[in-house]
Amino acid sequence: MNVRFGVLGALRVVEGERDLTPGPAKHRTLLAALLLRPGRTLTVDRLIAEVWGEEPPASAEPVLRVYVSALRKVVGGIRTVPGGYLLDVDPDEVDAHRFERLVTANRRARDAGRTAEAADGLRAALALWRGPALGGVDSAELRRAYAVPLEELRLTALEERVELDVALGRGAEVTGELRALVASYPLRERAWAQLVLALGQAGRRPEALAAYREARRLLVGELGLEPGPELREAHGRVLAGGTPARTVPNETPPDIADFTGREHVLDWIRRSVPVAGNAPVHLVLHGPAGTGKSAVAVHAAAGLDFPGGRLHASLGTRTPGAVLEDLLRSLGHPRGAVPADPAERTRLYRSLVSGRRLLVVLDDAADEAQVRPLLPAGPGCLTLVTSRSPLSGLEAARGFELGVFGVDESVEMLARVAGERRVRAEPREAARIAVLCGGLPLALRIAGSRLARRPSWTLEHLAGRLEDERGRLDELSAGDLAVRGSLALGYRALPDRERLLLRRLGALSATHVAPWAATAVLGEPADRSLEALAEAGLLRARGLDASGQERYDRHDLTRLYAAERLAAEEGPPARVLAAATGEILDRARRARALLLPAEPGSGRTVARTAEQAADLDTARLRESARWLAAERGFLVATVADLERAGLDEATWRLAFYLTPFFELGAHHEDWHAVVELGLRAARRTGHRHAEALLLRSQADLRRAEGRMEEAADLLRRALPLAEAHEVPRTRHRLGLVRLAQGRRPEAEACFVACLAAFSAMGDRRGRADALRALGGSRQAEDLLRESLAAYRELGDPRGEAAVSLDLAGLHLDRERPSEARERAERGLGLARRLGDRLPEAAGLVLMARVALAEGRPDAARGAAEEALGTFREYADRRGVARALLTLAAALLDLDEVAEAVDAVSGAVGEFDALGDRDGLAEAGELAREASRRRGLRA
């Protein structure tokens, strides 16, 4: 039987006829906090503030855990998650969320003209209230943040329901309810207006006029204000005995039969519709060409009821004066009486619309100046403006950016235009067409129209025609609809400098770009031009990226159009790319240098003074990693651009610069693609050393994937190609592979030889790496400490973090948990300051093992779960396996045997897939212990 929760009144938990409401006040407050945000993680600090207020006791955190444990005996679904707790219940089981859902649904019914259904639905929603929200919950924070808004929504819903009842002729039924409402809230004008109208509708005109006088007396006496327009209008209607209907314009185009999706923006428009008497609302639907802005405006308008009428105007390049002439005639003004002066036309327009509740649709606006004179100023009016520009300077307007469809919506639209049966017969090809059209509604409509007009075509045939980028824009043309034509309108309207930037961006295949890269292809600062292109709807500003740079993206069809214009006006992209290559390579090289201080094994390690080492602090290294993370997609795409353009040296150099970042973030697919391109380019140039470096990087990738024999083969192929100073580094990698294969003597022989070679060459970074590898293999604390000192001397906090974690593991194995904790905390702290998520996760696993050694399994579980989340996010299977194994050990110590068995099973699956025999043996031992304990419990 379902449990129901109530906060609209005194807190209540009911299962059937059983009352499960917690007794202690703090338990009720904690449960209320969780119920108000089901499915959301609430931090421990947040819950403490809400349960105890501004002065919680020192023991608040452990006491909170006790409260949670007590609540779990009554309420299922309370989960411990990293950083806090989460209540996993259906929001509809909580009366407050059910109330909000019902109000939203019945507002939609009202906006769609289903008045009786909406009135009855709002009545059902209001019936959920049993008293003041959060009754008996002692939390000022929760009352302020939730009870007050809920009470306001209740009053608003009540007024909306009464308005619907009056519209249905039920005025006599609601007068008593309204008198009680104005008695409780005497300054609520809307309620007084509804009372006046209800009494008038019930035939009690004297009482209605008396109610108006009473409302006016209160407003003037308490606030010094005369009644507002809604109350005055109600009074006037009672005095006049009703208002005669007027002939109204109805110019909006007919609804679109195959309109698809866009529920989010339609709901936003419906929710934005002003009630009668309120200030007018102006909404701007903006986005790139072809996103269906006009279709959304027309479809939304078809579902809205505006008694004053509907006006529609296509703006384009027309002047406001010309548009005003049409609007004035639509409002019944004689053709010959329209003033010649634009300012006079604006004043006349505003006078004519001031007494009407109008819907005005202004399509394809160019800028704010074109729109301002056309905005109706009358109470309750709504304006829908469509534009490629967000019209950010339009006062008091709200905007909604329309993007492209996802694959599912794209396929749905294709089916509505081309025919359901054809699309259902080829679902895979339909999805392929959706992707090739980039989810652009205009492109999808054209594709669907071409299929509809050619019954013999299969979807596979059309997808094949669209596959060729060079002809895709030719294919996306049907009748007077054409993607190229839509984009050309925007391109031709641009100033020269912005046209130049847009077409030069066509040399780049990346979907997004930062100002520095745009500057590189333009040859001069591009910030203002990027902003102008975004205003024109040809680029989209995505906001700041992880490194604090503004980023811009574009639709793929816009990219193809820009590439067309580049080829037609300037020639192939190679010249633009060659000019930009210097800046791109320099930035990537500098980022790599910060990512790896004293380039590993380069033979060119530079000794650093203490001052220079301090300069390479974690903040700068973290900044480098953030920049690479933000630019990853751009730089990966640029490697392919350079290779296609025949710029081979730039290709392999950029590929080489990027590979350490891919290793750090476990970006294996990008790593594989970029190294393949770099290798091809290096081989075309005959650059043996470049080939060796990239073969070594390929080997690092195979080692990360657990494919050790392939890694060893790649390293053996790299050795004869490598320059002398790179040979030890390549042998060092071979040693790491042998160690992972369990061939310890061969591995140590490699490390010893590399250590001697690095020492002889004066390569201090190589020596630090070799000391770490040899110390890890031999479990030699003295070698690891020597490696740690070497990394510190080099100013390499990443190396220091790695060795600190190695030492923590060594101390744990030797049953020295306090020393292990000190080292693990140091390594974890450095990884976090650097923003290195995978080393951070490895540090969390070690902290979990330390907590287990110290007898703190609850802390161990939290750390292991946090690490597991990171490893899964980065698809690091070895990390997942280690985290699951540590989690299983913590769960066993907590006597949560079933959960421990699940964790061990997951670890076994991962170790088996990796071919890790040592891991499987360790997991097997833990699995046997879990089975033994489960048997004892049975």
Side-chain angles (χ1 to χ4, degrees):
M1 189 175 291
N2 287 343
V3 178
R4 290 278 177 165
F5 304 94
V7 294
L8 301 180
L11 182 74
R12 187 169 70 174
V13 183
V14 177
E15 183 181 29
E17 298 297 319
R18 296 173 59 211
D19 187 347
L20 305 177
T21 308
K26 290 287 191 267
H27 291 195
R28 291 199 305 273
T29 302
L30 174 58
L31 179 57
L34 293 166
L35 288 170
L36 288 165
R37 290 150 296 189
R40 282 176 52 191
T41 297
L42 301 182
T43 65
V44 170
D45 289 344
R46 177 77 264 161
L47 289 171
I48 287 172
E50 290 173 348
V51 173
W52 279 281
E54 295 181 355
E55 296 182 359
S59 59
E61 188 168 342
V63 172
L64 184 72
R65 286 199 294 271
V66 173
Y67 290 171
V68 170
S69 181
L71 284 177
R72 279 176 170 151
K73 297 173 183 175
V74 178
V75 179
I78 301 178
R79 290 167 40 200
T80 302
V81 295
Y85 299 95
L86 174 150
L87 178 59
D88 188 7
V89 299
D90 183 352
D92 235 22
E93 293 176 359
V94 185
D95 59 3
H97 303 298
R98 195 156 66 256
F99 170 71
E100 291 175 332
R101 180 182 63 77
L102 287 171
V103 169
T104 300
N106 286 289
R107 282 173 170 170
R108 288 199 193 103
R110 174 201 65 193
D111 295 339
R114 304 195 303 274
T115 306
E117 176 190 331
D120 294 341
L122 287 173
R123 187 173 288 105
L126 290 161
L128 295 171
W129 284 76
R130 297 169 287 105
L134 298 179
V137 173
D138 183 19
S139 172
E141 288 242 359
L142 291 178
R143 282 198 301 275
R144 181 171 57 252
Y146 296 97
V148 172
L150 281 168
E151 292 284 357
E152 180 60 32
L153 181 59
R154 179 182 71 84
L155 291 173
T156 304
L158 176 58
E159 290 172 340
E160 291 173 1
R161 196 221 76 212
V162 167
E163 183 179 354
L164 294 171
D165 282 334
V166 172
L168 292 165
R170 300 170 180 169
E173 299 173 23
V174 297
T175 53
E177 192 173 18
L178 284 167
R179 286 199 184 278
L181 183 59
V182 297
S184 299
Y185 302 91
L187 299 179
R188 209 164 174 96
E189 276 194 70
R190 189 180 184 191
W192 279 108
Q194 290 174 337
L195 176 59
V196 169
L197 289 172
L199 288 167
Q201 190 181 79
R204 296 153 65 180
R205 191 163 176 264
E207 291 177 67
L209 297 174
Y212 174 77
R213 289 193 298 272
E214 175 63 12
R216 182 179 181 279
R217 183 188 65 79
L218 284 167
L219 291 168
V220 173
E222 294 288 332
L223 303 176
L225 296 173
E226 287 290 337
E230 187 174 7
L231 183 50
R232 292 200 309 274
E233 183 184 345
H235 180 234
R237 285 176 62 182
V238 172
L239 284 173
T243 305
R246 292 182 294 181
T247 303
V248 295
N250 186 12
E251 297 185 341
T252 51
D255 199 2
I256 299 162
D258 52 17
F259 185 86
T260 305
R262 300 298 194 195
E263 280 305 317
H264 190 47
V265 64
L266 292 171
D267 184 55
W268 175 73
I269 293 170
R270 286 191 289 262
R271 285 186 286 106
S272 301
V273 174
V275 298
N278 282 13
V281 171
H282 311 307
L283 305 178
V284 179
L285 305 174
H286 62 95
T291 49
K293 301 176 290 295
S294 302
V296 170
V298 168
H299 185 69
L304 300 177
D305 181 22
F306 277 82
R310 303 154 177 271
L311 296 173
H312 181 275
S314 295
L315 305 189
T317 58
R318 300 176 71 200
T319 65
V323 178
L324 279 168
E325 183 175 2
D326 290 348
L327 294 179
L328 289 169
R329 289 204 300 269
S330 298
L331 290 167
H333 199 71
R335 179 185 296 269
V338 174
D341 180 38
E344 288 294 329
R345 289 182 180 182
T346 301
R347 281 194 288 272
L348 177 59
Y349 172 68
R350 287 175 179 163
S351 296
L352 288 175
V353 302
S354 63
R356 298 171 180 260
R357 187 162 181 249
L358 280 169
L359 169 64
V360 180
V361 178
L362 303 174
D363 192 32
D364 194 22
D367 55 36
E368 294 88 343
Q370 186 186 37
V371 171
R372 282 192 191 97
L374 311 177
L375 298 176
C381 289
L382 174 68
T383 311
L384 291 177
V385 185
T386 71
S387 177
R388 299 186 187 194
S389 165
L391 304 182
S392 305
L394 197 60
E395 300 81 358
R398 285 177 271 165
F400 192 106
E401 183 176 9
L402 282 180
V404 297
F405 282 156
V407 173
D408 290 344
E409 275 188 315
S410 298
V411 171
E412 182 186 350
M413 182 174 185
L414 195 65
R416 291 193 177 187
V417 179
E420 295 276 353
R421 184 176 299 177
R422 291 176 74 183
V423 170
R424 280 202 304 269
E426 296 181 82
R428 206 177 274 180
E429 297 308 319
R432 186 172 155 216
I433 291 171
V435 171
L436 291 169
C437 289
L440 191 72
L442 174 60
L444 291 162
R445 179 168 296 283
I446 292 169
S449 297
R450 297 196 72 190
L451 287 169
R453 291 203 311 272
R454 292 172 173 80
S456 62
W457 279 18
T458 62
L459 272 71
E460 182 180 14
H461 175 73
L462 178 59
R465 294 173 71 109
L466 291 171
E467 197 77 55
D468 182 3
E469 284 193 352
R470 293 168 299 179
R472 191 176 304 165
L473 291 175
D474 294 325
E475 294 295 331
L476 292 174
S477 175
D480 62 350
L481 294 177
V483 172
R484 181 186 282 113
S486 180
L487 292 167
L489 284 173
Y491 180 73
R492 286 196 295 267
L494 293 172
D496 290 346
R497 192 165 180 271
E498 280 66 46
R499 279 205 303 271
L500 177 63
L501 175 58
L502 184 71
R503 66 175 177 262
R504 286 193 174 177
L505 288 174
L508 302 170
S509 64
T511 58
H512 55 84
V513 67
W516 72 266
T519 296
V521 297
L522 183 62
E524 57 183 282
D527 299 68
R528 290 187 180 278
S529 293
L530 287 169
E531 292 172 7
L533 289 173
E535 282 287 324
L538 291 163
L539 296 181
R540 183 172 70 98
R542 294 174 50 177
L544 301 181
D545 61 26
S547 66
Q549 306 173 110
E550 181 74 68
R551 295 202 85 77
Y552 296 85
D553 65 16
R554 58 192 169 168
H555 193 275
D556 200 46
L557 296 176
T558 305
R559 176 185 66 81
L560 294 179
Y561 179 76
E564 275 190 3
R565 297 319 312 152
L566 177 66
E569 297 180 41
E570 296 189 53
R575 188 177 64 82
V576 173
L577 287 170
T581 292
E583 179 68 14
I584 294 169
L585 289 177
D586 186 56
R587 284 179 178 258
R589 179 189 55 75
R590 284 187 281 127
R592 177 189 173 106
L594 281 172
L595 201 63
L596 295 175
E599 176 73 13
S602 65
R604 302 181 182 88
T605 303
V606 178
R608 302 180 187 277
T609 65
E611 182 180 353
Q612 288 171 324
D615 187 49
L616 284 169
D617 57 15
T618 54
R620 288 181 61 205
L621 298 178
R622 185 181 182 119
E623 178 186 336
S624 168
R626 281 178 172 171
W627 184 84
L628 282 165
E631 297 294 350
R632 175 180 140 215
F634 170 79
L635 292 170
V636 169
T638 301
V639 173
D641 295 337
L642 295 171
E643 201 255 353
R644 276 193 298 271
L647 301 171
D648 287 334
E649 182 172 354
T651 302
W652 76 254
R653 285 191 182 279
L654 184 55
F656 172 69
Y657 292 156
L658 294 178
T659 51
F661 167 66
F662 296 148
E663 182 172 11
L664 187 66
H667 304 301
H668 290 182
E669 289 187 19
D670 288 342
W671 193 353
H672 180 271
V674 161
V675 170
E676 282 291 333
L677 292 172
L679 263 175
R680 287 208 299 263
R683 285 166 177 160
R684 279 196 298 269
T685 61
H687 200 305
R688 290 167 55 85
H689 181 55
E691 185 178 352
L693 292 175
L694 289 160
L695 284 170
R696 194 175 76 193
S697 180
Q698 261 191 341
D700 289 340
L701 174 57
R702 297 293 186 273
R703 178 163 54 90
E705 294 172 333
R707 296 155 64 180
M708 298 302 168
E709 200 49 55
E710 291 178 47
D713 179 61
L714 287 164
L715 290 167
R716 284 192 293 267
R717 286 160 55 192
L719 277 170
L721 300 172
E723 293 180 1
H725 55 263
E726 287 292 350
V727 170
R729 175 55 57 183
T730 306
R731 290 197 184 281
H732 177 262
R733 300 289 216 290
L734 187 58
L736 295 175
V737 171
R738 294 308 185 208
L739 188 62
Q741 291 177 312
R743 296 158 66 172
R744 196 175 303 276
E746 292 177 56
E748 290 187 8
C750 284
F751 298 147
V752 168
C754 290
L755 180 59
F758 285 135
S759 299
M761 292 161 52
D763 186 337
R764 297 195 300 165
R765 172 58 189 261
R767 182 173 176 276
D769 288 346
L771 284 168
R772 182 192 168 204
L774 190 58
S777 176
R778 292 178 176 174
Q779 292 289 281
E781 186 175 349
D782 58 334
L783 293 175
L784 289 175
R785 287 183 180 277
E786 193 176 350
S787 172
L788 181 65
Y791 283 125
R792 283 176 173 166
E793 185 181 350
L794 289 167
D796 181 5
R798 281 197 172 87
E800 181 183 347
V803 181
S804 295
L805 296 179
D806 291 345
L807 283 165
L810 182 65
H811 292 320
L812 272 175
D813 292 342
R814 295 179 180 178
E815 299 183 356
R816 303 200 301 249
S818 60
E819 294 175 59
R821 168 176 287 282
E822 181 183 347
R823 291 296 183 187
E825 285 177 343
R826 174 64 179 168
L828 179 60
L830 283 169
R832 280 177 167 158
R833 283 161 55 196
L834 290 162
D836 293 351
R837 298 286 307 285
L838 287 172
E840 177 187 348
L844 284 166
V845 170
L846 277 166
M847 290 299 295
R849 290 178 57 201
V850 169
L852 283 172
E854 294 175 340
R856 297 182 297 111
D858 205 22
R861 174 169 66 179
E865 286 176 339
E866 187 177 348
L868 181 61
T870 300
F871 284 131
R872 281 178 170 159
E873 179 185 345
Y874 282 82
D876 185 328
R877 302 190 72 172
R878 195 175 303 279
V880 167
R882 283 288 155 198
L884 282 170
L885 211 56
T886 307
L887 177 60
L891 291 168
L892 279 179
D893 283 2
L894 290 166
D895 203 28
E896 296 181 19
V897 178
E899 292 84 349
V901 170
D902 289 342
V904 171
S905 299
V908 167
E910 296 293 348
F911 282 131
D912 188 45
L914 291 165
D916 188 331
R917 287 175 291 182
D918 291 342
L920 278 171
E922 194 176 344
E925 186 177 338
L926 200 58
R928 287 189 290 275
E929 175 61 17
S931 299
R932 184 185 70 80
R933 294 200 194 182
R934 186 160 59 179
L936 289 175
R937 290 182 65 176

